[in-house]
């Protein structure tokens, strides 16, 4: 129970920073989509960011999870493990950044951006810093310092938002000749990332840097399947965005990618919840691996994760008539993909929670196979259907890919390391959420009622789901502070 309380507390802190940060980051979506001249300009932004997301996985090569596993498994000098991880990731990132700057022209040409080589250069140097920062940030999580972790994440967001507002909103008002282009976003990201790197110096000093060759080899043996898993996992997220402008005509592809990239930002609240949960969950899971009640913790955590992601799904879809104003009008034709993308993110979150069975028994190769299977399904859907239905194929491909990996992980996991997940209760919640969503869509399509009436109906439906949660799994008497009144 103490671990579960710690999970909720840390998730709340990490989640607050992620929620505030993601909310402020959402301000960038209308800022870009209302000010950029075309959907294709925003498509360039999404294309390069999709490529850097893949690079982030390659440059960290599973070392975050490996770091937690070895820090909790080893009884000796833990700082030796930390410094070894820093040297491993740092050397790879430094080499990568140097090669990018040295060969920027052929790299940009190969990526179809010969006229925007410094967009590519700035983002690739940025991702090299981000990848190195992953280890100090993991160390903060290991030391249970969520406030510093959250503070630095929020500092980055506030700096980024402020500079973007200046570049895309304030300067055009001050100087009518100010030329708006997407390059400012890449320069701002590089600047803010560099400042955060400087803020992490205290995590890089005060101990003896040591490189343990034997630990390095052990860590690499543990992490390489995680790298394959990570590559397959991130491809499930970004492969469609990378393929779209390359399967279709370049201009049409970037135009569709701009629409798709803008609309999935609304759906990314699922990624926010999953990320916040992961930041808190990973250290607790590895730290409680020897606890006899650990499987009960994993089962309860899975249930609450699914409950709250389904609630988030209903909230976004129930108020989509408000959320749609986050994107410019020319991007709104893609709003129909949002429920598909959100459900794909739920499947991804479930898959992440399921993944601990093989991480805890050091059989990460299973994760690699599951993710590769999901990735194969995703590529097949995208390659076959993008020429026919465009960005809709990206949404359906993600759902099919994550669904495949999730199903494989569950059934194999229940044979290799069974965990008593409350499947019946989870299924009831899922059916209830889908039924409520179906009712929302029915009222939207079969009535001519004004928007405010539909929003009121959707609010009542969402409250019904919340009532179910409170009545069944989270009675008010169990909540802090207000629970005391109900116990009386």
């Amino acid at each position: 129970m103490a671990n579960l309380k710690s999970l909720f507390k840390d998730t709340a802190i990490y989640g607050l920073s992620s929620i505030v940060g993601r909310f402020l980051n959402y301000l960038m979506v209308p800022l870009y989509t209302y000010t950029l001249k075309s959907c294709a300009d925003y498509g360039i932004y999404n294309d390069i960011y999709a490529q850097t997301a893949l690079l982030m996985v390659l440059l960290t090569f599973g070392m975050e999870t490996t770091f937690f596993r070895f820090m909790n498994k080893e009884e000796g000098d833990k700082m030796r493990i930390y410094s070894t991880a820093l040297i491993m990731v740092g050397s790879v990132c430094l080499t990568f950044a140097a090669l990018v700057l040295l060969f920027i022209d052929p790299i940009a040409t190969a990526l179809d951006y010969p006229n925007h080589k410094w967009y590519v250069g700035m983002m690739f140097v940025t991702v090299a810093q981000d990848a190195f920062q992953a280890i100090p940030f993991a160390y903060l999580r290991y030391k249970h310092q969520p406030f510093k972790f959250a503070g630095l994440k929020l500092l980055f967001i506030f700096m980024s938002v402020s500079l973007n507002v200046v570049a895309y909103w304030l300067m055009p008002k001050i100087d009518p000749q100010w030329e708006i282009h997407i390059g400012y976003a890449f320069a701002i990201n590089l600047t803010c990332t560099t400042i955060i790197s400087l803020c992490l110096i205290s995590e890089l000093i005060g101990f003896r840097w040591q490189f343990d060759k034997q630990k390095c080899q052990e860590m690499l043996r543990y992490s390489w399947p995680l790298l394959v898993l990570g590559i397959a996992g991130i491809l499930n997220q970004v492969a469609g965005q990378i393929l779209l402008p390359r399967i279709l005509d370049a201009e049409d592809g970037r135009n569709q990618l701009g629409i798709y990239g803008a609309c999935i930002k609304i759906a990314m609240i699922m990624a926010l919840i999953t990320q916040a949960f992961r930041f808190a969950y990973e250290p607790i899971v590895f730290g409680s691996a020897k606890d006899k009640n650990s499987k009960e913790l994993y089962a309860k955590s899975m249930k609450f994760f699914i409950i709250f992601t389904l609630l988030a799904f209903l909230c976004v879809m129930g108020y989509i008539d408000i959320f749609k104003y986050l994107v410019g009008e020319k991007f709104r034709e893609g709003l129909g993909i949002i429920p598909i993308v959100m459900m794909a993110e739920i499947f991804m979150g479930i898959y992440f929670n399921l993944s601990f069975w093989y991480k805890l028994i050091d059989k990460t190769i299973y994760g690699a196979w599951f993710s590769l299977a999901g990735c194969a399904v995703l590529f097949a859907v995208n390659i076959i259907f993008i020429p026919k239905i465009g960005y809709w194929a990206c949404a359906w491909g993600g759902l099919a890919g994550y669904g495949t990996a999730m199903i494989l992980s569950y059934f194999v996991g229940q044979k290799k390391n069974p965990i008593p997940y409350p499947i019946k209760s989870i299924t009831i919640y899922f059916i209830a959420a889908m039924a409520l969503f179906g009712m929302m869509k029915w009222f939207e399509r079969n009535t001519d009622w004004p928007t405010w009436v539909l929003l009121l109906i959707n609010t009542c439906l969402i409250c019904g789901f919340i009532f179910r949660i409170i009545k069944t799994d989270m009675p008010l008497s169990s909540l802090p502070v207000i629970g005391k009144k109900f116990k009386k």
Side-chain angles (χ1 to χ4, degrees):
M1 183 59 69
N3 276 329
L4 198 58
K5 288 182 179 178
S6 178
L7 173 65
F8 284 139
K9 185 197 75 172
D10 286 1
T11 300
I13 298 170
Y14 291 126
L16 178 62
S17 67
S18 296
I19 289 169
V20 173
R22 190 59 65 92
F23 173 75
L24 293 176
N25 205 30
Y26 275 153
L27 297 179
M28 300 300 97
V29 179
L31 194 64
Y32 296 150
T33 59
Y34 280 89
T35 60
L36 292 173
K37 294 179 182 178
S38 69
C39 295
D41 288 338
Y42 195 57
I44 294 173
Y45 174 85
N46 282 281
D47 185 22
I48 293 178
Y49 265 87
Q51 295 174 40
T52 55
L54 178 59
L55 284 171
M56 182 69 177
V57 174
L58 290 169
L59 293 174
T60 53
F61 50 96
M63 200 48 59
E64 273 187 281
T65 299
T66 302
F67 168 79
F68 283 117
R69 178 59 174 161
F70 277 76
M71 289 291 277
N72 284 285
K73 186 171 77 169
E74 298 296 325
E75 300 295 336
D77 184 3
K78 295 183 182 295
M79 296 310 292
R80 182 186 293 269
I81 296 170
Y82 177 48
S83 62
T84 299
L86 284 173
I87 293 170
M88 291 166 67
V89 177
S91 59
V92 170
C93 293
L94 185 60
T95 302
F96 171 78
L99 290 173
V100 166
L101 295 177
L102 188 61
F103 299 104
I104 186 63
D105 288 311
I107 291 173
T109 301
L111 296 174
D112 295 330
Y113 290 105
N115 298 324
H116 300 299
K117 65 180 182 180
W118 289 113
Y119 291 4
V120 176
M122 286 187 290
M123 279 310 301
F124 282 12
V125 172
T126 299
V127 78
Q129 292 190 68
D130 283 337
F132 178 69
Q133 289 175 13
I135 303 304
F137 273 121
Y139 182 66
L140 289 176
R141 290 160 56 200
Y142 168 75
K143 298 293 288 183
H144 294 289
Q145 295 183 25
F147 289 105
K148 183 170 184 179
F149 180 101
L152 290 176
K153 293 292 185 181
L154 287 176
L155 176 62
F156 173 87
I157 294 295
F158 279 115
M159 289 190 298
S160 177
V161 170
S162 300
L163 292 174
N164 272 283
V165 168
V166 170
Y168 289 96
W169 182 76
L170 185 59
M171 287 305 299
K173 292 185 177 296
I174 295 175
D175 181 6
Q177 302 301 316
W178 181 265
E179 182 182 357
I180 295 177
H181 59 79
I182 199 62
Y184 299 136
F186 301 124
I188 289 169
N189 205 335
L190 175 60
T191 301
C192 296
T193 299
T194 302
I195 292 172
I196 296 301
S197 294
L198 296 174
C199 291
L200 286 168
I201 288 177
S202 61
E203 273 62 54
L204 304 176
I205 60 176
F207 60 93
R208 182 186 173 192
W209 282 59
Q210 306 171 76
F211 182 74
D212 189 322
K213 185 176 180 181
Q214 182 180 347
K215 288 298 176 191
C216 171
Q217 293 173 347
E218 293 176 12
M219 293 168 80
L220 286 175
R221 280 196 296 271
Y222 183 87
S223 71
W224 79 260
L226 293 177
L227 171 60
V228 177
L229 187 157
I231 292 172
I234 200 65
L235 283 174
N236 272 319
Q237 295 182 49
V238 303
Q241 298 178 60
I242 295 174
L243 290 171
L244 192 59
R246 290 163 179 84
I247 292 178
L248 301 176
D249 170 78
E251 188 62 25
D252 180 42
R254 288 174 183 168
N255 184 69
Q256 289 206 38
L257 179 56
I259 295 170
Y260 177 76
C263 290
I264 64 173
K265 293 295 190 298
I266 299 175
M268 283 301 103
I269 189 171
M270 285 303 172
L272 175 158
I273 294 172
T274 302
Q275 184 184 56
F277 195 84
R278 177 194 168 197
F279 285 155
Y281 194 42
E282 247 180 353
I284 290 173
V285 166
F286 285 119
S288 63
K290 298 177 182 178
D291 189 336
K292 64 179 181 179
N293 296 319
S294 60
K295 290 190 175 183
E296 182 182 351
L297 170 65
Y298 306 156
K300 287 183 178 179
S301 298
M302 171 70 85
K303 180 178 179 179
F304 281 110
F305 172 81
I306 293 174
I307 287 173
F308 288 112
T309 50
L310 288 173
L311 176 59
F313 173 86
L314 290 174
C315 288
V316 172
M317 298 316 304
Y319 301 110
I320 194 65
D321 284 325
I322 296 174
F323 284 113
K324 70 181 182 182
Y325 292 106
L326 282 171
V327 300
E329 188 172 356
K330 57 182 175 286
F331 293 85
R332 293 176 197 162
E333 66 176 70
L335 291 174
I337 66 170
I338 291 175
I340 304 170
V341 175
M342 291 191 76
M343 193 53 59
E345 289 291 333
I346 291 177
F347 285 1
M348 184 196 74
I350 295 172
Y351 174 52
F352 169 77
N353 286 313
L354 290 170
S355 71
F356 281 98
W357 72 260
Y358 55 76
K359 292 178 182 177
L360 289 169
I361 61 174
D362 295 343
K363 296 292 184 181
T364 49
I365 187 64
Y366 281 106
W369 288 118
F370 301 151
S371 293
L372 284 173
C375 195
V377 171
L378 176 139
F379 267 89
V381 172
N382 276 279
I383 292 171
I384 293 170
F385 293 105
I386 280 178
K388 300 176 181 178
I389 57 176
Y391 57 76
W392 283 87
C394 301
W396 285 113
L399 182 67
Y402 282 131
T404 299
M406 176 187 70
I407 291 169
L408 287 173
S409 184
Y410 173 75
F411 283 106
V412 176
Q414 290 303 92
K415 290 183 178 180
K416 299 290 184 180
N417 188 27
I419 294 173
Y421 295 113
I423 298 299
K424 181 179 178 181
S425 178
I426 289 172
T427 302
I428 291 173
Y429 272 110
F430 190 86
I431 292 173
M434 293 305 100
L436 293 174
F437 173 60
M439 293 172 67
M440 292 177 183
K441 298 302 292 183
W442 188 90
F443 283 113
E444 176 189 335
R445 293 173 179 174
N446 294 281
T447 67
D448 56 358
W449 295 337
T451 300
W452 71 268
V453 174
L454 294 175
L455 290 174
L456 182 60
I457 291 172
N458 293 347
T459 300
C460 293
L461 294 174
I462 293 168
C463 287
F465 191 78
I466 294 173
F467 177 77
R468 160 83 189 185
I469 296 172
I470 293 174
K471 181 179 179 181
T472 308
D473 289 286
M474 193 174 286
L476 293 175
S477 59
S478 69
L479 298 177
V481 184
I482 64 171
K484 296 179 180 179
K485 297 180 181 179
F486 288 89
K487 288 178 181 179
K488 292 181 180 179

